[in-house]
């Protein structure tokens, strides 16, 4: 199996269970960093060489891989994954389903979006979590209070709110960046509102202007200079284990502002078409062990913060346990609600490129003073040319 962190750790942890089913068959897990992994898998599919029997795919790459034609359609026999569809959280299964009803991968974990906030900093500002959540206007207003009271920034980067707002109000037949006819959606209200709010936050100096996973970003989380984070629920595990364990008890979790339901990340498991039938049989067995076995799903949740895709795990006692890092909050209940309310957006082979184009457009607005209308229009034209090739 070829994978990336922490899907690799989840796969290795499942090997003892695999050996009980197939004692004579060994599992080798080849791991690379996430970008290197997907580059290697694209090359392997294109050249039909060094193909793994099972490959992990992160959701942001799913559109590109699904259109390549190199993955097995799991909707067809002998896999017939449609029979298991009711067992998966709906949006994850839908994300792996193409317009022609092919299912190119099995979901293995999801990333329900959450708002993480510093409870102590919010109290110091005389505000409540409801103030942060009620509306985006209130979100900014609370940010001004926080800055005055503690000097902390409301968000790490103004682009964080864009990533939420462009996921709000996506129609069922659309993707984030393209509609069902491959036409870019960059000049629609979702992007205009996101860019406008980001510009307001930047103008009021409410963002730390640091990039996610940068040293400054990590330091800002540790020293209380960043008051809120919008990310997947899995971030809490990183914060607790290595990112900011010294802030234990100071953070809380909530739903995203205006009860926006959004996903951050998620993993899928796929089978290359060009492996032998005998390998496919066992590869499918391993995919089922990782994706459809409740015990393995809960084990991955506990060890790697990989939120389960199986809805029959959602009433396990672990969901009701307090989380010490969040001051004893039973936050997994919130994340369960989010996971069940998220709706799938159509993936597109140019999603990754479109994200880069939108980020560049936002940079021009925030750093170069370009108008929002002109910047979005330029991004729209660029993507129109890209898909019109």
């Amino acid at each position: 199996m070829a994978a990336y962190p922490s899907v690799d750790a989840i796969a290795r942890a499942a090997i003892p269970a695999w050996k009980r089913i197939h004692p004579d068959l060994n599992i080798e897990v080849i791991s690379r960093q996430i970008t290197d992994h997907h580059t290697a898998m694209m090359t392997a599919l294109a050249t039909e060489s060094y193909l793994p029997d099972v490959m992990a795919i992160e959701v942001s790459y799913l559109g590109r891989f699904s259109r390549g034609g190199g993955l097995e359609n799991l909707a067809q026999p002998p896999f017939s994954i449609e029979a298991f569809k009711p067992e998966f959280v709906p949006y994850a299964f839908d994300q792996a389903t193409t317009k022609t009803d092919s299912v190119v991968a099995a979901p293995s974990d999801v990333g329900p979006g959450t708002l993480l906030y510093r409870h102590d900093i919010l109290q110091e500002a005389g505000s409540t979590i409801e103030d942060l959540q009620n509306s985006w206007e209130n979100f900014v207003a609370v940010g001004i209070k926080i800055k005055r009271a503690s000097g902390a920034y409301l968000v790490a980067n103004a682009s964080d709110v864009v990533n939420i707002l462009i996921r709000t109000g996506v129609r069922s037949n659309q993707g984030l960046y393209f509609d069902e006819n491959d036409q870019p959606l960059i000049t629609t209200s979702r992007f205009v509102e996101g860019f406008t709010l980001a510009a307001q936050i930047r103008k009021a100096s409410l963002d730390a202007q640091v990039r996610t996973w940068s040293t400054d970003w990590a330091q800002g989380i540790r020293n209380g200079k960043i008051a809120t984070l919008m990310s997947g629920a899995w971030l809490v595990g990183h914060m607790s284990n290595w990112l900011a364990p010294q802030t234990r008890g100071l953070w809380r979790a909530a739903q995203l502002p205006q009860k926006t339901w959004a996903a951050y990340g998620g993993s899928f498991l796929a089978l290359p078409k060009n492996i032998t039938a005998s390998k496919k049989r066992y590869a499918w067995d391993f995919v089922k062990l990782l994706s459809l076995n409740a015990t393995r799903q809960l084990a991955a949740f506990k060890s790697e913060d990989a939120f389960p895709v199986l809805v029959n795990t959602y009433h396990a006692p672990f969901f009701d346990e307090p989380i010490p890092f969040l001051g004893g909050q039973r936050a997994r209940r919130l994340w369960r609600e989010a996971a069940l309310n998220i709706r799938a957006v159509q993936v597109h082979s140019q999603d990754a490129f479109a994200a880069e184009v939108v980020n560049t457009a936002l940079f021009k607005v925030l750093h170069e003073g370009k108008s929002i209308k002109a910047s979005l229009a330029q991004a729209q034209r660029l993507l129109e040319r890209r898909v019109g090739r």
Side-chain angles (χ1 to χ4, degrees):
M1 175 176 174
Y4 50 84
S6 59
V7 180
D8 54 356
I10 293 169
R12 291 190 182 100
I15 290 176
W18 168 262
K19 296 292 283 185
R20 287 194 289 273
I21 305 169
H22 298 290
D24 299 328
L25 292 176
N26 295 320
I27 298 285
E28 181 184 6
V29 180
I30 299 172
S31 181
R32 301 177 180 88
Q33 291 303 308
I34 189 165
T35 302
D36 294 339
H37 164 78
H38 288 94
T39 300
M41 293 302 98
M42 289 296 289
T43 302
L45 288 170
T47 61
E48 299 182 8
S49 58
Y50 299 105
L51 283 168
D53 300 331
V54 177
M55 65 171 63
I57 302 175
E58 204 274 339
V59 64
S60 62
Y61 292 88
L62 193 59
R64 194 182 309 175
F65 278 74
S66 67
R67 291 198 175 193
L71 301 179
E72 191 61 67
N73 177 9
L74 301 181
Q76 294 182 342
F79 317 107
S80 303
I81 195 173
E82 290 279 355
F84 304 104
K85 182 176 180 178
E87 299 184 37
F88 290 107
V89 64
Y91 88 90
F93 192 91
D94 292 343
Q95 279 184 315
T97 306
T98 69
K99 293 178 182 177
T100 57
D101 292 330
S102 295
V103 181
V104 296
S108 62
D109 65 69
V110 291
T114 188
L115 171 66
L116 303 174
Y117 64 97
R118 281 285 296 256
H119 177 65
D120 54 332
I121 293 176
L122 200 59
Q123 281 190 324
E124 189 177 355
S127 298
T128 66
I129 180 56
E130 289 76 19
D131 296 331
L132 271 178
Q133 288 180 299
N134 287 344
S135 69
W136 287 108
E137 290 77 13
N138 281 352
F139 185 77
V140 174
V142 172
I144 294 171
K145 290 183 179 179
I146 287 173
K147 192 73 181 292
R148 288 174 180 164
S150 64
Y153 294 104
L154 175 62
V155 292
N157 197 294
S159 62
D160 294 350
V161 299
V162 176
N163 290 331
I164 295 293
L165 283 168
I166 65 173
R167 288 167 168 76
T168 304
V170 181
R171 295 178 184 171
S172 59
N173 58 347
Q174 293 183 342
L176 279 184
Y177 305 104
F178 300 93
D179 68 12
E180 66 274 28
N181 298 313
D182 291 340
Q183 289 303 302
L185 298 166
I186 311 304
T187 53
T188 60
S189 59
R190 290 190 285 120
F191 290 87
V192 174
E193 291 170 8
F195 273 49
T196 301
L197 187 64
Q200 291 174 356
I201 288 173
R202 177 61 55 86
K203 185 177 181 180
S205 301
L206 299 182
D207 71 321
Q209 301 190 37
V210 295
R211 296 171 64 88
T212 302
W213 300 117
S214 68
T215 301
D216 290 340
W217 175 79
Q219 192 60 35
I221 294 171
R222 294 184 189 117
N223 63 18
K225 290 299 183 184
I226 296 173
T228 74
L229 296 164
M230 287 174 278
S231 184
W234 43 263
L235 183 60
V236 173
H238 290 289
M239 294 170 70
S240 174
N241 293 330
W242 62 272
L243 187 58
Q246 60 272 56
T247 63
R248 175 188 171 109
L250 299 177
W251 291 87
R252 300 289 186 276
Q255 302 295 9
L256 294 166
Q258 292 192 171
K259 277 218 166 181
T260 301
W261 308 113
Y264 287 80
S267 299
F268 295 79
L269 303 175
L271 276 57
K273 277 183 179 175
N274 291 313
I275 59 174
T276 64
S278 60
K279 283 189 171 183
K280 283 180 189 173
R281 171 194 164 193
Y282 295 116
W284 177 235
D285 281 352
F286 194 54
V287 169
K288 287 193 293 184
L289 179 64
L290 296 178
S291 291
L292 285 160
N293 182 294
T295 300
R296 299 309 323 156
Q297 282 273 299
L298 283 170
F301 192 20
K302 293 176 182 178
S303 65
E304 303 296 332
D305 293 291
F307 204 89
V309 293
L310 291 183
V311 292
N312 67 1
T313 65
Y314 283 12
H315 294 288
F318 187 59
F319 280 85
D320 298 322
E321 292 181 8
I323 300 176
F325 185 79
L326 298 177
Q329 186 182 9
R330 291 173 168 80
R332 297 186 187 95
R333 296 172 177 173
L334 290 172
W335 302 332
R336 174 177 60 196
E337 180 189 22
L340 292 172
N341 277 282
I342 294 170
R343 295 292 174 263
V345 295
Q346 295 294 323
V347 294
H348 193 280
S349 61
Q350 297 296 330
D351 276 349
F353 178 73
E356 293 178 11
V357 170
V358 169
N359 287 337
T360 300
L362 182 61
F363 181 90
K364 291 178 179 177
V365 170
L366 298 180
H367 293 271
E368 299 175 3
K370 191 170 184 175
S371 78
I372 292 172
K373 184 177 181 180
S375 195
L376 290 176
Q378 184 180 35
Q380 175 85 6
R381 289 193 298 272
L382 182 57
L383 291 180
E384 286 173 347
R385 288 198 295 270
R386 180 82 172 195
V387 296
R389 286 179 176 176

